[in-house]
Amino acid sequence: MENLDNLKSATLEKIAAAADVKTLDEIKVAAIGKKGFVTEQMKALALLDVEAKKAMGQKLNAVKCEIETALDVKKQELAEKELNEKLKKETIDVTLPIREENIGRIHPVSKIYEEVVAIFGEMGFEVADGPDIEDQFHNFNALNTPANHPARQMQDTFYIINPESDNFDDSYVVRTQTSAVQIRTMEKKQPPIRIIAPGRTYRADYDATHTPMFHQVEGLVVDKVTTFANLKGCLYDFVKAFFELDNIPVRYRPSYFPFTEPSAEMDIGCKKSKTELKIGAGDDWLEILGCGMVHPNVLKACGIDPDEYQGFAFGMGLDRLAMLKYGIPDLRTFFESDVRWLKHYGFMPLDESSMTGGLSNNGGLAR
Ligand code: DAH
């Protein structure tokens, strides 16, 4: 018995003094491992009579428990110590000032993307997504633009031949418009729907205001009562927030898109001169987006009853918005990956766009 007490105290002392987990493991094996002293004495219990066996058994169990607890406590202590040392070593001094020349810039398209998401996010819109390579059903047919529809010629489409079919109607396209995401969203979700879908789009076109890959943002609202007045209010609030102006003249011109009826284009007031474009005042107009009430055929193609639901939609070019807002004259330069250009037109990464903290953070312009 005395032997056991001594061994126990010696073990507890060793545990307390252990400097690492490996030593702890060795102590554990020597005490309660297969050949540890506690285990050996437990095996020897068989030789004792009933009373002695009971007393000794209880005592051995208590010792085992005590050693196990001590091991656990010490193990935790060592792990914490190790972590603290590691954290101390890895500390970085966050008060060191940034060396501006060493950090990259946010591309104007990414900035505009963030701004648009911030504004519509505040209005309760969710961001939806779809693939760049689309089938003709989502890019055209379901948008009330069947094969041979004249409106298909409004867009210079890149087709991708479907290797599994000789029929041209089965060809894929790289999407010409984010409007395809309207269809993908309505296929998945019943109204109420309130989404925007920013993303890449493609058309065979190339000049100062057109590039084969460009960016659009689509908007779609579908509910039981959704009116043209709602559309106007929503888009008016958007342009005011986007151009950061309290007051901005707008007008809606009748237009045509196959997937909306009636359709309109929205213009904002501006003053154009040879050298300058001033948004928000003047006698000139600048077209900024297409919009309209969702055509009943579009709702039907997605299994939504047009007698019960109606919606509005809009679409605009993100790159064009960037050119207008930040005075960038040539769209082609956006995609030339010229770091000097990005240094000039880009934005500091730390200035996140938000409706409360500031949208464009002009103070943070890298220029
Ligand atoms: N998809 C059209 C285009 O690329 C833009 C557009 C116009 C989208 C009207 C809409 C809309 O959702 O209602 O030219």
Side-chain angles (χ1 to χ4, degrees):
M1 195 66 86
E2 198 183 315
N3 187 23
L4 181 62
D5 284 339
N6 287 345
L7 282 169
K8 185 187 89 175
S9 326
T11 304
L12 292 177
E13 265 165 43
K14 275 194 220 153
I15 292 174
D20 53 48
V21 176
K22 190 167 162 277
T23 315
L24 272 191
D25 283 339
E26 284 164 10
I27 301 170
K28 183 175 176 181
V29 171
I32 55 177
K34 264 193 201 144
K35 295 214 161 105
F37 69 86
V38 179
T39 320
E40 289 297 341
Q41 294 204 21
M42 277 182 169
K43 283 184 205 158
L45 287 177
L47 307 172
L48 302 180
D49 62 44
V50 178
E51 279 307 304
K53 195 190 274 182
K54 197 174 159 201
M56 191 59 187
Q58 277 172 357
K59 170 110 188 164
L60 279 168
N61 266 335
V63 169
K64 190 176 175 202
C65 264
E66 207 173 327
I67 292 176
E68 275 172 348
T69 310
L71 282 167
D72 283 348
V73 170
K74 186 70 183 181
K75 202 167 195 169
Q76 179 122 7
E77 194 182 295
L78 286 176
E80 254 167 49
K81 205 171 130 205
E82 216 169 90
L83 180 67
N84 283 339
E85 270 163 22
K86 196 167 164 216
L87 287 176
K88 218 185 225 166
K89 256 194 248 151
E90 290 174 2
T91 310
I92 42 167
D93 182 356
V94 288
T95 62
L96 271 181
I98 295 171
R99 295 178 60 177
E100 284 200 7
E101 68 275 20
N102 287 347
I103 57 170
R105 297 287 188 273
I106 300 295
H107 194 285
V109 174
S110 304
K111 186 69 179 172
I112 294 292
Y113 184 115
E114 271 182 28
E115 292 181 18
V116 169
V117 169
I119 298 170
F120 283 107
E122 184 87 354
M123 294 189 211
F125 282 72
E126 282 172 44
V127 174
D129 204 1
D132 285 22
I133 298 179
E134 264 298 3
D135 49 43
Q136 294 187 43
F137 175 78
H138 290 91
N139 195 78
F140 289 127
N141 300 49
L143 287 160
N144 200 30
T145 323
N148 304 321
H149 191 289
R152 284 218 187 179
Q153 264 131 42
M154 287 160 73
Q155 305 184 350
D156 305 291
T157 309
F158 288 115
Y159 287 90
I160 302 172
I161 299 298
N162 182 344
E164 279 160 20
S165 168
D166 293 335
N167 186 348
F168 185 72
D169 291 345
D170 294 333
S171 307
Y172 294 102
V173 300
V174 267
R175 67 177 178 198
T176 58
Q177 47 188 355
T178 43
S179 306
V181 185
Q182 289 191 29
I183 306 301
R184 295 218 168 254
T185 305
M186 287 189 278
E187 279 174 340
K188 274 190 292 211
K189 191 172 164 358
Q190 279 294 309
I193 290 171
R194 195 183 295 179
I195 57 118
I196 55 164
R200 278 189 285 265
T201 43
Y202 306 82
R203 290 182 204 178
D205 213 349
Y206 189 69
D207 59 33
T209 52
H210 298 89
T211 47
M213 188 283 297
F214 59 108
H215 300 82
Q216 288 189 334
V217 59
E218 193 75 16
L220 175 71
V221 174
V222 184
D223 207 338
K224 289 206 163 122
V225 183
T226 312
T227 66
F228 203 87
N230 296 145
L231 174 154
K232 286 172 72 178
C234 171
L235 293 177
Y236 183 53
D237 280 351
F238 167 72
V239 291
K240 274 196 303 181
F242 180 76
F243 288 105
E244 297 171 66
L245 294 168
D246 290 336
N247 210 337
I248 180 166
V250 299
R251 71 175 184 188
Y252 296 83
R253 268 179 302 104
S255 184
Y256 175 76
F257 299 102
F259 34 84
T260 42
E261 180 58 39
S263 302
E265 274 167 322
M266 183 186 192
D267 295 344
I268 52 172
C270 65
K271 191 170 159 49
K272 290 177 188 166
S273 74
K274 279 216 174 82
T275 50
E276 220 193 7
L277 172 71
K278 195 168 165 8
I279 288 171
D283 297 330
D284 301 311
W285 294 101
L286 192 70
E287 180 211 318
I288 58 154
L289 57 84
C291 57
M293 301 305 293
V294 180
H295 196 294
N297 286 352
V298 176
L299 296 173
K300 267 190 233 156
C302 303
I304 293 176
D305 181 358
D307 291 328
E308 197 178 345
Y309 291 103
Q310 53 188 5
F312 69 79
F314 55 89
M316 56 195 144
L318 280 181
D319 322 78
R320 185 169 151 75
L321 290 179
M323 290 170 82
L324 289 175
K325 184 161 180 180
Y326 295 117
I328 312 174
D330 191 326
L331 181 58
R332 290 167 297 197
T333 57
F334 278 54
F335 309 116
E336 283 169 355
S337 304
D338 186 334
V339 183
R340 293 162 305 175
W341 181 91
L342 194 57
K343 257 211 147 105
H344 182 75
Y345 285 115
F347 293 82
M348 295 300 282
L350 299 175
D351 299 323
E352 210 181 299
S353 297
S354 80
M355 291 298 281
T356 42
L359 205 56
S360 58
N361 315 110
N362 271 315
L365 261 179
R367 283 173 253 174

